[in-house]
Amino acid sequence: MAEKVSGEKPAKKPGLFSRIGRFFKDLRGESKKVVWPTRKQIINNTLIVIVFMIIASLIVSGFDAILGVVRALLLQI
């Protein structure tokens, strides 16, 4: 298999510290694009999560109570 020979040298990989510097520069640029939620949105979303957690816990507790009664009835037979 013959390799192509070109007069250009391959691009040199940047050093470790220049890559780290580039990372933090990109990180700063991306963090400027972040749109943070307002206080009202955070409170609203938190309340929604709390309500759904209460509903889910009530459903699970109800199933647990029903299955506990069924188990007790089956063990009495």
Side-chain angles (χ1 to χ4, degrees):
M1 183 183 273
E3 293 183 23
K4 290 185 178 181
V5 178
S6 64
E8 297 179 22
K9 292 183 180 179
K12 187 176 179 183
K13 186 176 177 181
L16 175 66
F17 291 110
S18 65
R19 287 184 285 162
I20 291 172
R22 178 67 183 204
F23 170 77
F24 283 109
K25 184 179 177 184
D26 291 344
L27 181 69
R28 188 178 334 146
E30 288 297 322
S31 65
K32 289 180 182 179
K33 297 177 187 177
V34 174
V35 178
W36 295 99
T38 63
R39 183 177 179 89
K40 184 177 178 180
Q41 289 172 328
I42 292 173
I43 293 171
N44 188 33
N45 291 345
T46 303
L47 290 175
I48 289 171
V49 168
I50 290 172
V51 167
F52 275 101
M53 297 235 354
I54 291 171
I55 291 170
S57 67
L58 290 174
I59 291 171
V60 170
S61 296
F63 281 134
D64 183 50
I66 291 170
L67 291 175
V69 170
V70 170
R71 180 185 58 106
L73 290 174
L74 288 175
L75 290 176
Q76 288 178 354
I77 293 178

